């Protein structure tokens, strides 16, 4: 049965009060007051009235003044004025300042008065319905905004869940809120449950807490068992003799439970639970989505951490493969550098001193970057070392042929290939023999003569570099690799430089423009080498081509052999 609306009648004539009371007592809960002051006291005690009917001409406080004092506190109340006069100014004042719905002249027609009051009651119901709907919408939006804002500020899965339980606990003025995560993700410091307890800020709150038995449920073991459910529901519970209400809020992710929140309040008033459940039903999907996003972020972060650790190990392994040491040989100076664009890469180099005295140099570049290229790089180094370690120093083109035989099948099946230059230098004869599988041309020049001309003001163009341009296709392109070997005679002061395309295709400062950028290329590399001091430094070259504003675009490998005086 619908609860009766409250009707307040105010008149300084007792007969009018009694008549109005008898007329409406069946349909309304009627309150009477003989003056404006008495009516204000009654409103303070009883709260909002649906309808107020006030006489206009009353001593001390007229109807207009009384009604105007109720507007701010009770904006939804329907106000009416009874008057036996036709004073236009009073009526205008009543309508403007008192927000009067209608005015009724004395003596009134009982039938018409009932119709007017019934109309006022219906208007009040519509206003309250709209007000409640607006309040719910605003409360829902506020709650959703507060939770989402707090969640967006959270850094990880654990802090997101703590934010959710704290935001819900504060929003519904709970005495205790607990969140039970459905799972603890790897890499998370999350515990089995997260708590929210309100802070007692004021003295009155502290006194209330003291009277209620201080902190609500300090021992969580005494809480009633948790019931599983896919829907939000409330239930009355008793915690150590204290009656309370518990709202259980499951958050589902694609039908699977991701977390459960329990809200406790030391009350068993149904109105609190109904209001909270209504709002929770409207925001639960958003909260569940936020939890799902945080969980996904945590998983991706953990996977990234694991991948980073694995790549660090792979980088160290690759570095160990390339971190070679070779004995000092009189009359020879060797330098080598390799800088992968990522944690691991496909570039590699090899320096091998054969027991017969030959010095082997190689630089290779597996197509692509990252882990796939690094795996083929490791295979290439293994096969290359096996070929070079033969009892008799092999021919470079034979080394390349055997390398292709060993790797071609795997390279072709993975759409990869390897460019490589292999050089054999015989110190006794100063003869250089090489094989090139689609790699950047190695370059040879007389660095000693170049420095001498520069220091003496001579014509440096007289020193012309020799490019080792005899080459075949890359390894892994054809089942059989065939190409001729190239030969060159070196002399004291000559330098052999092998590099990958990460060097010649690097963007360098001198070529950059506002709208475009250009690569170093082999011509640019030669121009740079012409400016180098007598002591060639590969680190200086790498620092020149490294971009300060951005990541390295490709693996960069460079290897040099200088023929010096013994």
């Amino acid at each position: 049965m619908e609860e009766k609306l409250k009707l307040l009648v105010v008149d300084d004539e007792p007969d009018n009060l009694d008549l109005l009371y008898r007329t409406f007592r069946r349909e309304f809960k009627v309150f009477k007051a003989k003056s404006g002051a008495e009516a204000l006291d009654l409103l303070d005690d009883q709260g909002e009235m649906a309808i107020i009917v006030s006489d206009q001409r009353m001593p001390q406080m007229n109807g207009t003044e009384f009604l105007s004092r109720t507007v701010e506190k009770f904006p939804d109340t329907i106000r009416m004025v009874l008057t036996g006069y036709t004073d236009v100014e009073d009526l205008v004042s009543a309508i403007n300042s008192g927000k009067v719905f209608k005015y009724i002249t004395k003596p009134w027609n009982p039938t018409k008065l009932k119709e007017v009051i019934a109309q006022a009651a219906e208007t009040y119901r519509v206003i309250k319905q709209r007000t409640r709907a607006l309040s719910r919408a605003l409360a829902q939006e506020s709650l959703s905004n507060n939770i989402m804002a707090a969640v967006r500020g959270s850094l990880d899965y654990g802090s997101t869940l703590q934010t959710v339980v704290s935001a819900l606990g504060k929003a519904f003025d709970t005495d205790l809120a607990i969140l039970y995560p459905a799972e603890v993700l790897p890499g998370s410091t999350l515990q089995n449950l997260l708590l929210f307890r309100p802070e007692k800020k004021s003295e009155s709150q502290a006194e209330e807490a003291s009277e209620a038995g201080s902190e609500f449920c300090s021992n969580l073991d005494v809480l009633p068992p948790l019931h599983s459910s896919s829907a939000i529901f409330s239930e009355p519970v008793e915690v150590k003799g204290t009656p309370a209400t518990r709202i259980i809020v499951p958050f589902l992710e694609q039908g699977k439970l991701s977390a459960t929140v329990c809200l406790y309040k030391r009350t068993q008033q149904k109105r609190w639970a109904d209001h909270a459940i209504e709002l929770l039903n409207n925001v639960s999907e958003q909260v569940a989505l936020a939890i799902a996003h945080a969980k996904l972020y945590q998983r991706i972060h953990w996977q990234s951490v694991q991948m980073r650790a694995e790549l660090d190990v792979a980088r160290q392994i690759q570095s160990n493969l390339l971190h070679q040491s070779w004995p000092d040989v009189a009359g020879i100076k060797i330098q080598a550098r390799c800088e992968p664009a990522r944690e691991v890469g496909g570039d590699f180099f090899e320096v091998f001193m054969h027991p017969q005295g030959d010095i082997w140099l190689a630089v290779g570049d597996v197509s692509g970057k990252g882990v796939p290229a690094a795996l083929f790089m490791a295979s290439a180094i293994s096969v290359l070392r096996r070929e070079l370690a033969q009892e008799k120093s092999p021919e470079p083109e034979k080394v390349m042929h055997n390398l292709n035989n060993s790797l071609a099948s795997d390279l072709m099946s993975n759409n990869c290939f390897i460019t490589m230059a292999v050089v054999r230098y015989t110190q006794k004869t100063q003869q250089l023999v090489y094989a090139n599988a689609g790699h950047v041309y190695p370059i040879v020049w007389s660095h000693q003569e170049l420095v001498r001309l520069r220091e003496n003001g001579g014509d440096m163009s007289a020193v012309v570099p020799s490019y080792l341009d005899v080459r075949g296709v890359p390894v892994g392109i054809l089942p059989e690799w065939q190409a001729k070997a190239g030969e060159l005679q070196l002399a004291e002061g000559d330098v052999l430089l092998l590099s990958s395309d990460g060097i010649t295709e690097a963007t360098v400062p001198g070529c950059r423009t506002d709208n475009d950028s250009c690569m170093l290329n082999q011509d640019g590399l030669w121009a740079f080498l012409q400016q180098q001091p007598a002591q060639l430094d590969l680190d200086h070259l790498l620092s020149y081509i490294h971009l300060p504003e951005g990541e390295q675009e490709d693996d960069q490998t460079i290897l040099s052999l200088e023929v010096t005086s013994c």
Side-chain angles (χ1 to χ4, degrees):
M1 182 176 178
E2 186 178 0
E3 186 179 356
K4 289 182 179 181
L5 295 179
K6 294 191 287 185
L7 170 65
L8 172 61
V9 291
V10 186
D11 201 315
D12 60 335
E13 296 181 17
D15 291 342
N16 287 341
L17 285 179
D18 291 339
L19 180 58
L20 290 169
Y21 178 80
R22 288 194 304 272
T23 301
F24 297 107
R25 64 186 178 86
R26 295 183 183 276
E27 293 84 6
F28 297 89
K29 187 176 181 180
V30 183
F31 297 86
K32 300 184 294 182
K34 297 178 182 179
S35 66
E38 183 181 339
L40 290 174
D41 291 338
L42 193 149
L43 287 171
D44 289 338
D45 183 56
Q46 296 295 328
E48 181 177 279
M49 299 288 169
I51 304 169
I52 299 176
V53 180
S54 174
D55 184 26
Q56 172 63 14
R57 297 291 183 174
M58 294 185 297
Q60 297 181 346
M61 185 186 300
N62 62 28
T64 300
E65 183 182 355
F66 159 64
L67 292 175
S68 65
R69 293 190 182 186
T70 67
V71 172
E72 183 176 354
K73 192 171 184 181
F74 307 108
D76 296 337
T77 297
I78 305 299
R79 300 166 184 81
M80 297 185 182
V81 173
L82 288 174
T83 178
Y85 301 88
T86 57
D87 190 329
V88 176
E89 290 186 3
D90 283 348
L91 293 178
V92 171
S93 177
I95 292 171
N96 291 337
S97 63
K99 308 296 181 184
V100 171
F101 176 72
K102 280 187 180 294
Y103 71 91
I104 305 166
T105 58
K106 295 178 182 179
W108 59 79
N109 183 307
T111 301
K112 289 186 177 181
L113 179 61
K114 284 187 176 183
E115 290 177 358
V116 171
I117 295 297
Q119 183 184 4
E122 183 61 27
T123 301
Y124 177 79
R125 289 190 180 95
V126 171
I127 291 175
K128 294 307 290 184
Q129 184 179 4
R130 291 178 178 176
T131 301
R132 282 193 292 269
L134 180 60
S135 297
R136 284 196 300 269
L138 292 175
Q140 175 186 334
E141 183 179 4
S142 176
L143 176 61
S144 176
N145 289 341
N146 290 339
I147 292 176
M148 291 302 106
V151 166
R152 283 192 292 269
S154 302
L155 298 177
D156 55 28
Y157 180 54
S159 63
T160 296
L161 294 187
Q162 183 62 63
T163 297
V164 166
V165 68
S166 299
L168 293 176
K170 291 177 182 177
F172 297 109
D173 192 27
T174 62
D175 294 301
L176 174 65
I178 307 176
L179 186 146
Y180 301 91
E183 60 178 322
V184 177
L185 299 180
S188 172
T189 57
L190 189 62
Q191 300 177 356
N192 292 329
L193 56 85
L194 297 97
L195 296 178
F196 165 78
R197 294 185 186 275
E199 297 179 0
K200 299 298 185 291
K201 297 180 179 179
S202 64
E203 294 183 3
S204 60
Q205 287 177 317
E207 291 176 2
E208 290 175 6
S210 178
E211 293 173 0
S214 66
E215 187 177 67
F216 177 77
C217 190
S218 56
N219 180 11
L220 300 182
D221 294 334
V222 303
L223 290 173
L226 184 63
H227 306 297
S228 61
S229 171
S230 60
I232 302 172
F233 70 96
S234 67
E235 58 182 357
V237 294
E238 189 171 294
V239 181
K240 295 185 69 174
T242 302
T245 297
R246 175 169 69 179
I247 300 177
I248 298 178
V249 189
F251 294 110
L252 305 178
E253 177 190 353
Q254 297 181 345
K256 184 180 178 182
L257 185 69
S258 60
T260 301
V261 170
C262 292
L263 306 176
Y264 292 87
K265 189 170 180 65
R266 281 181 281 204
T267 180
Q268 291 194 338
Q269 291 182 359
K270 192 172 182 296
R271 185 171 60 180
W272 174 79
D274 291 345
H275 173 70
I277 289 175
E278 184 179 13
L279 289 178
L280 287 166
N281 277 319
N282 290 323
V283 301
S284 60
E285 289 187 4
Q286 292 175 286
V287 175
L289 183 62
I291 293 174
H293 286 172
K295 186 185 295 184
L296 178 62
Y297 171 81
Q298 182 70 31
R299 284 180 176 150
I300 293 175
H301 176 70
W302 175 244
Q303 290 170 357
S304 298
V305 170
Q306 284 187 309
M307 186 180 299
R308 178 68 63 179
E310 292 170 1
L311 287 174
D312 285 343
V313 173
R315 184 184 182 96
Q316 185 60 48
I317 292 173
Q318 186 176 55
S319 177
N320 292 340
L321 283 173
L322 297 176
H323 185 67
Q324 304 173 37
S325 59
W326 45 83
D328 291 333
V329 179
I332 295 294
K333 180 182 178 182
I334 298 174
Q335 300 181 70
R337 302 288 185 273
C338 184
E339 294 287 343
R342 299 178 183 172
E343 284 78 4
V344 291
D347 274 17
F348 62 93
F349 67 85
E350 179 69 17
V351 178
F352 182 78
M353 302 292 185
H354 195 276
Q356 290 184 338
D358 289 341
I359 300 173
W360 286 86
L361 305 175
V363 168
D365 182 3
V366 181
S367 60
K369 294 185 284 292
V371 174
L375 293 175
F376 279 117
M377 165 266 191
S379 298
I381 287 181
S382 176
V383 174
L384 178 62
R385 289 176 179 173
R386 182 193 67 193
E387 292 298 320
L388 297 182
Q390 296 179 38
E391 182 178 353
K392 182 179 178 181
S393 189
E395 297 299 321
E397 68 273 22
K398 184 63 175 176
V399 171
M400 201 73 78
H401 179 272
N402 292 342
L403 192 69
N404 188 81
N405 286 346
S406 298
L407 299 176
S409 177
D410 289 336
L411 288 169
M412 289 179 181
S413 63
N414 288 276
N415 295 319
C416 290
F417 59 87
I418 302 174
T419 67
M420 183 186 298
V422 176
V423 176
R424 184 188 69 192
Y425 176 67
T426 305
Q427 189 176 14
K428 290 181 180 179
T429 62
Q430 293 186 327
Q431 183 187 41
L432 182 150
V433 183
Y434 68 93
N436 190 327
H439 199 72
V440 177
Y441 294 147
I443 181 174
V444 175
W445 77 99
S446 176
H447 192 63
Q448 179 177 289
E449 180 64 14
L450 190 67
V451 172
R452 186 188 66 77
L453 289 173
R454 187 177 64 233
E455 291 177 349
N456 295 321
D459 183 10
M460 290 191 297
S461 63
V463 178
V464 178
S466 298
Y467 292 102
L468 310 188
D469 54 3
V470 178
R471 67 180 179 184
V473 299
V475 173
I477 296 295
L478 298 175
E480 291 288 330
W481 189 91
Q482 291 183 350
K484 294 181 179 179
E487 295 184 10
L488 192 68
Q489 195 73 26
L490 300 188
E492 182 181 331
D494 285 351
V495 175
L496 164 68
L497 187 73
L498 298 90
S499 65
S500 65
D501 59 6
I503 299 294
T504 56
E505 294 179 2
T507 303
V508 292
C511 295
R512 296 173 200 157
T513 64
D514 293 337
N515 301 319
D516 200 359
S517 59
C518 67
M519 294 184 296
L520 179 65
N521 291 320
Q522 287 201 310
D523 290 340
L525 176 60
W526 170 239
F528 175 81
L529 293 173
Q530 286 179 295
Q531 306 302 319
Q532 299 311 295
Q535 298 297 322
L536 187 65
D537 186 357
L538 298 188
D539 290 326
H540 184 211
L541 173 59
L542 288 176
S543 64
Y544 171 69
I545 64 174
H546 279 171
L547 287 170
E549 70 280 354
E551 65 178 22
Q552 183 179 323
E553 296 177 358
D554 197 2
D555 303 332
Q556 296 174 344
T557 302
I558 192 164
L559 174 62
S560 67
L561 179 146
E562 301 175 54
V563 181
T564 63
S565 58
C566 297

